[in-house]
Amino acid sequence: MVLMIGPVEEMLARIVETTGAAHLTLIDPDSQSPEVAGRMAKAAAEGGTDAIMVGGSVGAAGRALEDTVRAIKEESKLPVILFPSGVSGLCSNADAVFFMSLLNSRNVSYLIENQALGAPLVYRYHLEPIPMAYVIVEPGGTVGWVGDAKLIPRSKPELAAAYALAGKYFGMRMVYLEAGSGANEPVPPKMVATVKRALGDALLILGGGIRSGEAARDLVAAGADLIVTGTGVERSEDVEGFVHEITSAIKGS
Ligand code: 1GP
């Protein structure tokens, strides 16, 4: 059987294999105008980011979403991956979508319902689906609340590993450990190491609370393959410099 891995996923896997880690910049269409989002993407590209994720828990939909994706594509050549919180987080002008299930949600909407209702749109829009297990760790932030997640305690790496392994056995080729956007601290490196040991060659994405090259480097050293930063980019007055700090810390480490 031939696995249908699309070009964006293949590109990310190749970057991880050749440089040791990849960096994704998260842009929430609800946080700034499309023009500003386009400028942020351009600066992030100059800082060495590998792809732009577009999404958010509240308000990342409709016109704001489409115009933000368009502006990003006008300003950079980077692939745009949707990071939807539901069906409304899909649009036709992106390249790919993290086709994800929030495995530790208590709500069937985030486990399978939005995915079933969104699948025909993914097909119609010719978006590349990248199968991904999404697992939210304390403190979880807005996405933890919106997604009705039974948060993984920070002191229980084995629980995170159990969910990650379940995702891998479902055939998801990526697992995203999420501390929640704007978290005070990232997921603990010890948890990352335990999860990566269980996952083997499935790719491990880390996001939430990563604000420095040093924090990103510690996570990659523990086993993270892809690092996501949103708030740090959003708040930075020097987006290129901030992204460069992270990318130079994780590549080749
Ligand atoms: C949120 O993990 C991402 O889904 C990014 O988190 O905003 O804290 O960088 P930050």
Side-chain angles (χ1 to χ4, degrees):
M1 189 183 77
V2 180
L3 285 176
M4 298 296 290
I5 296 182
V8 176
E9 183 178 348
E10 202 177 302
M11 181 210 80
L12 292 175
R14 197 166 357 98
I15 291 169
V16 170
E17 205 180 311
T18 54
T19 71
H23 178 257
L24 305 175
T25 296
L26 174 64
I27 295 182
D28 184 343
D30 200 40
S31 298
Q32 66 288 297
S33 68
E35 292 67 33
V36 173
R39 284 202 293 276
M40 280 165 67
K42 186 171 188 225
E46 279 156 6
T49 198
D50 297 299
I52 307 288
M53 284 164 66
V54 178
S57 300
V58 184
R63 186 81 186 269
L65 175 64
E66 267 186 54
D67 290 352
T68 296
V69 171
R70 186 174 307 111
I72 292 168
K73 293 197 78 71
E74 276 167 15
E75 293 290 337
S76 85
K77 290 191 169 57
L78 292 172
V80 175
I81 308 170
L82 297 173
F83 182 49
S85 61
V87 182
S88 62
L90 297 173
C91 64
S92 61
N93 55 348
D95 300 293
V97 56
F98 278 131
F99 200 82
M100 52 206 262
S101 176
L102 174 45
L103 294 188
N104 59 328
S105 177
R106 299 179 181 91
N107 186 328
V108 70
S109 300
Y110 296 102
L111 286 163
I112 186 58
E113 211 166 77
N114 274 284
Q115 294 80 345
L117 298 175
L121 292 177
V122 171
Y123 183 80
R124 190 180 309 153
Y125 294 165
H126 302 290
L127 293 169
E128 174 187 333
I130 303 177
M132 187 251 271
Y134 193 42
V135 180
I136 306 183
V137 177
E138 288 176 341
T142 306
V143 71
W145 188 88
V146 172
D148 197 3
K150 192 171 165 187
L151 300 174
I152 306 282
R154 293 174 69 81
S155 59
K156 297 286 177 194
E158 67 281 7
L159 289 179
Y163 275 97
L165 203 51
K168 178 177 167 163
Y169 291 163
F170 272 130
M172 294 154 169
R173 295 185 290 269
M174 297 200 189
V175 171
Y176 190 142
L177 284 186
E178 168 76 86
S181 186
N184 285 336
E185 278 180 292
V187 169
K190 188 171 172 235
M191 182 178 277
V192 175
T194 306
V195 169
K196 187 60 182 174
R197 251 198 317 278
L199 274 184
D201 54 6
L203 294 182
L204 181 54
I205 309 175
L206 260 293
I210 305 168
R211 306 267 164 63
S212 68
E214 199 187 341
R217 187 190 294 118
D218 288 349
L219 293 168
V220 170
D225 298 298
L226 296 101
I227 295 290
V228 179
T229 53
T231 305
V233 172
E234 220 171 79
R235 291 192 188 155
S236 179
E237 279 169 21
D238 172 15
V239 171
E240 181 184 340
F242 173 75
V243 171
H244 185 258
E245 179 190 329
I246 307 266
T247 56
S248 58
I250 63 173
K251 306 250 179 192
S253 63

